[in-house]
Amino acid sequence: MGAYITRRLIQLVLMLFALIVLLFIIFRLLPGNPASMVLGPAMTPESIAAQKRLFGLDKPLTLQFMLYCKNLLTGHLGLSFQYRTEVMAVLAPKLLNTIVLMGAAFFLTLVVGVIGGAYVAWGKRVRSGDLAISVVLFFRSSPIFFTGMVLLTIFAYNLGIFPVGRIHTPGFRAANLFQFYFSWDFLKHLILPAVTMMLYYLGNPFLVTRSSMLEIKGEEFIDIAKAKGISYWQLLFKHGLRNSLLPVVTMLSIMLAYTLGGQVVLETVFSWPGMGRELVFAVKNHDYPLVQGAFFLIGCFVITGNFLIDLLYAYLDPRVVYK
């Protein structure tokens, strides 16, 4: 197990380095002068030179890359053109808001998808199973912004049950971070975007669990457990579901990347002050350091998440370690 973790750690470092190189190259190949995004078209040569010195663009590319790597190691992602402050100071609270929303939606998706897929595969009601599959596929094929706008129209504008967007009611003041994220006001604002994301990604764990459970259902040890008189629910969860989770764990890494991609659209629809919405504003304002920092944090999150999922898979299936 130790050798396996070491290999995965080496791969993790190499992938992070490749991400750093890719981001450095892409944002320096973009057309236009970054200084012009700050000063406008009527800039003077002296102003251009001053801005280049401020953002380190007057140095050779090799030296820029070395300084870029050094700054990343110290947590400095550059200076934002728009906010004129450090990128990390701008993105840190946005990243936390995104993680909370994505974590809630991810948890709901896994719980509902895994339990629902297992129940449909194990049950004997064919029509209800077909109906559940149709509903899941309908939401999976519908664009996430469409589902979000429909839910907003029904439950926010027409019925008035939930707020129309944002993370808190205007004027809300939290005494501390705990009260900010663990209050009824925050929960009301969290439900609609989390449910929207759950409905969109529910098909992945639902269908994978269902397929895996159908295979497990015909195994001999299930027939033996039935002959012993084990109860229906114990047979479903302890013997069936427990042995069909490996394909779901494999799917988690792919689902993690897609979920982060969907955050950009979802946060824009619900005016959620997360990193996805901030990324949209940064692209509109040509704030290259902020965009670069956002992509770096998203890439680190996905790479680290895949690393942890690999370790979880190796723990659940020790055969992976020896291959």
Side-chain angles (χ1 to χ4, degrees):
M1 189 68 176
Y4 176 80
I5 295 177
T6 302
R7 290 198 304 270
R8 285 292 181 263
L9 282 174
I10 294 174
Q11 293 177 5
L12 173 68
V13 173
L14 292 177
M15 291 181 67
L16 287 175
F17 181 75
L19 173 66
I20 292 171
V21 173
L22 186 63
L23 289 177
F24 180 83
I25 294 175
I26 287 178
F27 283 92
R28 277 154 182 79
L29 292 177
L30 292 176
N33 186 354
S36 65
M37 307 302 175
V38 183
L39 300 176
M43 55 187 175
T44 63
E46 292 78 11
S47 300
I48 295 177
Q51 289 297 318
K52 284 186 174 181
R53 285 194 301 271
L54 176 62
F55 294 104
L57 299 174
D58 59 331
K59 299 178 177 61
L61 283 178
T62 54
L63 184 57
Q64 287 185 38
F65 181 71
M66 294 174 62
L67 291 174
Y68 178 61
C69 293
K70 178 184 176 182
N71 290 334
L72 288 180
L73 292 175
T74 58
H76 182 63
L77 301 179
L79 295 175
S80 169
F81 292 163
Q82 179 184 0
Y83 297 98
R84 292 304 182 97
T85 186
E86 291 191 6
V87 170
M88 196 62 188
V90 177
L91 292 180
K94 314 291 185 182
L95 177 62
L96 187 56
N97 293 338
T98 295
I99 290 176
V100 171
L101 174 58
M102 193 186 72
F106 211 71
F107 176 77
L108 286 175
T109 304
L110 287 179
V111 171
V112 177
V114 169
I115 295 179
Y119 181 77
V120 167
W122 211 259
K124 297 180 180 180
R125 298 179 180 178
V126 179
R127 290 185 178 179
S128 60
D130 293 340
L131 177 62
I133 295 173
S134 300
V135 172
V136 165
L137 291 178
F138 171 78
F139 283 110
R140 188 65 181 90
S141 59
S142 301
I144 192 171
F145 66 86
F146 172 78
T147 304
M149 289 188 293
V150 170
L151 292 182
L152 275 175
T153 303
I154 296 174
F155 295 102
Y157 290 104
N158 293 339
L159 299 178
I161 300 176
F162 298 106
V164 295
R166 301 179 181 272
I167 196 171
H168 278 295
T169 303
F172 176 84
R173 294 291 182 269
N176 48 53
L177 193 64
F178 181 84
Q179 187 181 1
F180 186 88
Y181 290 110
F182 293 91
S183 62
W184 174 241
D185 186 75
F186 174 79
L187 182 61
K188 287 192 301 182
H189 288 76
L190 176 67
I191 290 176
L192 274 187
V195 170
T196 301
M197 180 169 282
M198 180 203 72
L199 292 175
Y200 183 73
Y201 293 104
L202 184 63
N204 295 340
F206 183 90
L207 296 176
V208 170
T209 304
R210 176 181 173 274
S211 299
S212 182
M213 286 288 288
L214 288 175
E215 293 180 3
I216 295 294
K217 193 175 181 180
E219 296 291 337
E220 293 182 358
F221 72 91
I222 296 294
D223 295 331
I224 295 174
K226 288 180 180 179
K228 291 182 178 179
I230 295 177
S231 65
Y232 174 83
W233 296 107
Q234 188 177 6
L235 190 66
L236 171 61
F237 289 104
K238 185 176 180 180
H239 296 276
L241 185 58
R242 184 178 179 182
N243 290 279
S244 60
L245 286 179
L246 283 179
V248 180
V249 175
T250 306
M251 177 212 61
L252 287 181
S253 58
I254 302 174
M255 187 177 166
L256 179 64
Y258 279 118
T259 305
L260 271 174
Q263 286 285 113
V264 177
V265 179
L266 188 72
E267 290 177 0
T268 304
V269 171
F270 286 93
S271 300
W272 186 270
M275 197 163 63
R277 186 165 174 257
E278 190 66 36
L279 181 59
V280 174
F281 292 152
V283 171
K284 288 182 179 179
N285 297 320
H286 304 284
D287 196 342
Y288 290 158
L290 194 60
V291 176
Q292 189 177 26
F295 277 125
F296 175 74
L297 291 177
I298 291 174
C300 290
F301 191 83
V302 173
I303 292 173
T304 305
N306 288 336
F307 169 74
L308 296 177
I309 291 172
D310 285 342
L311 296 185
L312 176 62
Y313 194 93
Y315 173 77
L316 294 175
D317 188 1
R319 294 173 297 178
V320 176
V321 178
Y322 301 106
K323 288 186 179 181

